[in-house]
Amino acid sequence: MLNRFLSPSQNQWLHAFEQFSADEVAPYADEWDLHEATPASVVKKLAHNGWLGGLAKEESGGLGFDATTFGLLNMAIGAGSGSLTGLLNVHSMVLKTIEDWGTPEQKQQYLTPLVKGEIIGAFAQTEVGAGGDSKNLSTQFVDDGDALLVNGQKTWITFAQIADLFLVFGKYQGLDTAVLIPKETPGFTITAKKNMLGFKSAYLAVLDFVDVRIPKSHIIGKPGFGQNLISNSALDYGRISVAWAALGVQQAALAASARRANTRSTFGALLADQGIIRGYLAEMSSSLLASQLICLSATKAKESRDEDALEQILQAKLFASHEAGTAAAKAVQIHGGHGCDESNGVSRLYRDAKILQVVEGSNELQKMLIGKEVCNRYSYSAV
Ligand SMILES: Cc1cc2nc3c(=O)[nH]c(=O)nc-3n(C[C@H](O)[C@H](O)[C@H](O)COP(=O)(O)OP(=O)(O)OC[C@H]3O[C@@H](n4cnc5c(N)ncnc54)[C@H](O)[C@@H]3O)c2cc1C
């Protein structure tokens, strides 16, 4: 359905992404989910294809994807494995942050390896005491000569178990600040976080920093840029990733449901011939179309730097992830008891869809931000 709105090059990319997802991701995603691990081989293949550095500009060695093409990648991979979109998401956020905000030295040291996927980036903002309320981080960066001492803890950090470079947010002299911390730094420990509801093969981890010494040259941008500039500009891409991954979840839920309806008989007739089930499928396909259009509008707005691009990205993330949850719930319902089996793909879609509503700013946070935009827009109206 989306194809008619895409350029020839975007359509070519979509075909390649879908082929990869069908061959290398979808057949194995349930197994990865049950074992809470993603094989290194699939990460290497994504890197080999250049897709881990897809968003980077061509002069940085990347493929120069526009926002829509990045969305298409997340959609295709998301139809196979929601967890794997977590890698595209956080790695791309770190990469874009260094490309957009990094010093020449930071770029020279880290950008090329990130673009090539030789090292993996992770985005470390959330703490047990501060998630959406990210102004209240307690991680501290304190002066220690020409270095900073880092103390604090981060939790639920996606792909942290295999990441090499962490973009870590905290406070420096009371100012929101972001720094780069490599994995091997003394005092930095990474502990696997298992048994999550969804995104089970997304290698989540808890990060502990105890007197971790980092050169001040590892600050990204300037002290004070942490939340308003660095985090928010990275999260634009994070939200695009989540919104389009939600399209993948909806597609997969619809396809699995239609296939089940075409083969499962109850009371002497196929589910596909039962009006209620057809109604579910109709609702799912209509929501998918609406979600596709809102996501496409948001990435087009981002590409043309429209004034309302931020609002549209928030709307796309809110709407598509909500509809993914609804579609996945219907898919489980259509599969009955089979859909409630942990090893069944629709069970995974249902659990992953819930994660999409929580990450990259929970959907309540999206509503707060969109509502503020709406109120600002009408602040001068006479009535
Ligand atoms: C699978 C997974 C992967 C993640 N990956 C990362 C990662 O890579 N990096 C990272 O930094 N973080 C990551 N997170 C953390 C995630 O971003 C946070 O969990 C999220 O931002 C919500 O923060 P919180 O959990 O502290 O919820 P809280 O802030 O405690 O909020 C709890 C609930 O209350 C709602 N709420 C809060 N305040 C209000 C309000 N004023 N009005 C109405 N409702 C409100 C929230 O929407 C939420 O539903 C991940 C989380 C998960 C589950």
Side-chain angles (χ1 to χ4, degrees):
M1 280 180 276
L2 261 183
N3 306 62
R4 77 188 71 145
F5 299 110
L6 303 178
S7 69
S9 125
Q10 288 168 338
N11 266 313
Q12 275 177 0
W13 278 121
L14 177 58
H15 181 71
F17 300 152
E18 288 183 333
Q19 194 66 51
F20 180 89
S21 188
D23 292 343
E24 307 283 352
V25 180
Y28 312 107
D30 290 336
E31 199 185 317
W32 299 345
D33 188 71
L34 287 174
H35 292 104
E36 302 194 45
T38 298
S41 56
V42 75
V43 177
K44 281 205 179 104
K45 283 176 189 165
L46 285 169
H48 174 78
N49 290 347
W51 298 345
L52 289 183
L55 259 185
K57 294 175 192 150
E58 287 175 10
E59 58 260 38
S60 306
L63 295 171
F65 284 169
D66 55 28
T68 301
T69 307
F70 178 64
L72 293 169
L73 173 62
N74 281 274
M75 178 179 82
I77 299 297
S81 161
S83 288
L84 194 53
T85 65
L87 171 64
L88 299 171
N89 182 331
V90 296
H91 182 79
S92 301
M93 285 202 288
V94 175
L95 179 153
K96 280 307 274 181
T97 298
I98 295 177
E99 186 175 65
D100 292 346
W101 296 98
T103 60
E105 293 72 30
Q106 289 166 347
K107 286 184 193 175
Q108 196 186 3
Q109 192 171 2
Y110 296 121
L111 193 52
T112 305
L114 283 167
V115 170
K116 289 186 176 170
E118 292 166 351
I119 61 171
I120 297 297
F123 184 87
Q125 180 162 289
T126 304
E127 300 172 355
V128 168
D133 188 7
S134 55
K135 293 269 180 198
N136 279 325
L137 298 179
S138 64
T139 296
Q140 293 294 330
F141 309 132
V142 175
D143 282 319
D144 185 29
D146 58 356
L148 297 174
L149 275 190
V150 184
N151 281 285
Q153 188 186 62
K154 299 289 173 183
T155 192
W156 304 308
I157 305 308
T158 299
F159 271 88
Q161 290 178 43
I162 64 158
D164 306 281
L165 183 66
F166 295 77
L167 179 62
V168 180
F169 294 84
K171 300 277 186 193
Y172 172 67
Q173 298 180 347
L175 299 169
D176 291 319
T177 302
V179 303
L180 292 170
I181 306 186
K183 174 173 71 173
E184 303 298 349
T185 316
F188 176 17
T189 51
I190 302 167
T191 310
K193 187 101 180 91
K194 299 276 191 181
N195 300 318
M196 297 299 291
L197 169 75
F199 270 45
K200 286 172 98 67
S201 56
Y203 281 136
L204 265 62
V206 173
L207 316 181
D208 283 288
F209 302 96
V210 179
D211 289 339
V212 172
R213 203 161 186 276
I214 282 291
K216 279 189 184 156
S217 60
H218 280 218
I219 293 176
I220 283 269
K222 290 187 178 161
F225 282 16
Q227 288 304 317
N228 287 342
L229 295 172
I230 309 288
S231 177
N232 282 341
S233 61
L235 281 170
D236 252 14
Y237 292 102
R239 287 171 182 146
I240 288 170
S241 166
V242 169
W244 285 75
L247 297 183
V249 169
Q250 289 184 57
Q251 280 176 348
L254 179 62
S257 300
R259 278 196 297 267
R260 182 76 182 159
N262 281 330
T263 51
R264 174 74 166 180
S265 290
T266 63
F267 305 101
L270 285 172
L271 287 181
D273 293 326
Q274 319 277 2
I276 289 181
I277 302 298
R278 280 192 193 178
Y280 286 159
L281 294 172
E283 286 166 359
M284 290 163 80
S285 71
S286 307
S287 299
L288 173 59
L289 178 58
S291 302
Q292 287 172 331
L293 294 176
I294 201 170
C295 285
L296 194 61
S297 176
T299 48
K300 296 273 177 210
K302 170 90 179 156
E303 285 155 20
S304 48
R305 298 168 187 257
D306 290 351
E307 211 177 298
D308 64 345
L310 169 64
E311 186 181 357
Q312 288 210 38
I313 292 169
L314 296 167
Q315 288 170 325
K317 193 274 174 181
L318 171 66
F319 188 82
S321 65
H322 179 268
E323 294 305 315
T326 308
K330 287 191 177 116
V332 172
Q333 199 70 22
I334 290 169
H335 283 72
H338 301 270
C340 298
D341 193 316
E342 196 189 13
S343 63
N344 189 300
V346 295
S347 152
R348 177 173 50 80
L349 294 173
Y350 181 74
R351 292 181 279 105
D352 285 350
K354 175 44 76 183
I355 300 297
L356 296 174
Q357 297 171 3
V358 171
V359 295
E360 250 58 19
S362 63
N363 282 3
E364 288 75 16
L365 188 77
Q366 313 293 308
K367 287 181 191 176
M368 285 160 65
L369 296 171
I370 297 165
K372 190 173 163 197
E373 292 289 326
V374 173
C375 289
N376 286 344
R377 194 175 314 136
Y378 291 101
S379 62
Y380 298 113
S381 81
V383 188

